[in-house]
Amino acid sequence: MKQPTTPDEVKALHDIRRTDPQRYLKIVDGWLNENPNNHLAYYGRHFAWMDLGEPHRALEDMNKVVELNPDADAFFLRGEVLRHLGEYEKALDDFDRSERMMPDEWQDLGFGLLFQADCDARLGDEDKALSCCERLPDDFWTPGIFEAPGGDKTAVAPQLRLIAAEARRRRG
């Protein structure tokens, strides 16, 4: 299968990833055999690794994406993987880099701020977590994806306080 170039081809490939991730991996591995510098293939494959519960492999792919194409999305997605792995300081470094590369979009989208706040809370830094939460757009809402707090920013704040308090309690 060739790399998709049309919306229909992208959807077909996405459907393969969702329904048959092993087949998807074989397809992408073929692209990487043809061109080991294909950052888009690594980018896509990292999603499959996450779907399959292989975050370390996803991190390897995102490290390669950052090496080949260090744009804001690469740092954001690598930060997500690092956050999933509990490497909160490293995740915050990547989120900060992504934010510096696209400050307006970062503020408007909100998920970077939410993930930053979650990392800060998990490190026990309630003040930083709440500062990120305060910067969320007024119309922000999430169902609580990827183990991050859910709701609007008013509902997220108390959850961040609890996460930070628990992190501080565990540290003793």
Side-chain angles (χ1 to χ4, degrees):
M1 180 178 206
K2 68 179 182 72
Q3 283 196 254
T5 57
T6 68
D8 287 340
E9 291 172 345
V10 170
K11 183 183 180 321
L13 184 64
H14 179 74
D15 289 344
I16 291 170
R17 192 187 103 215
R18 281 191 11 253
T19 60
D20 190 353
Q22 294 300 330
R23 178 174 171 222
Y24 177 88
L25 289 173
K26 287 179 185 173
I27 291 167
V28 175
D29 287 345
W31 300 340
L32 290 170
N33 284 334
E34 291 175 19
N35 178 6
N37 292 323
N38 182 344
H39 73 277
L40 294 174
Y42 291 106
Y43 178 90
R45 190 172 72 176
H46 111 275
F47 287 113
W49 288 131
M50 291 300 288
D51 293 344
L52 291 167
E54 296 280 350
H56 290 331
R57 289 178 135 179
L59 180 58
E60 289 173 13
D61 281 352
M62 286 313 301
N63 285 338
K64 191 69 174 177
V65 172
V66 166
E67 174 188 323
L68 296 170
N69 188 47
D71 66 8
D73 289 336
F75 286 108
F76 175 74
L77 289 173
R78 187 173 71 177
E80 282 186 359
V81 175
L82 289 163
R83 183 179 152 272
H84 176 81
L85 290 169
E87 296 186 32
Y88 303 118
E89 291 98 349
K90 289 179 183 178
L92 284 168
D93 288 343
D94 276 358
F95 292 147
D96 288 343
R97 289 173 103 173
S98 182
E99 181 179 12
R100 283 193 306 272
M101 296 169 115
M102 58 174 194
D104 293 335
E105 295 90 340
W106 192 262
Q107 186 74 31
D108 291 341
L109 294 174
F111 284 99
L113 289 168
L114 177 67
F115 295 152
Q116 281 175 309
D118 185 63
C119 287
D120 284 326
R122 291 176 191 279
L123 290 169
D125 194 333
E126 182 178 319
D127 290 340
K128 278 188 179 178
L130 293 176
S131 176
C132 285
C133 183
E134 181 58 35
R135 292 176 49 213
L136 287 168
D138 289 337
D139 62 351
F140 180 82
W141 183 88
T142 176
I145 60 172
F146 307 124
E147 301 174 8
D152 62 12
K153 69 189 210 176
T154 304
V156 166
Q159 295 171 68
L160 293 170
R161 284 186 184 96
L162 290 172
I163 293 167
E166 177 62 21
R168 288 189 306 271
R169 187 193 62 73
R170 278 194 315 269
R171 274 197 319 238

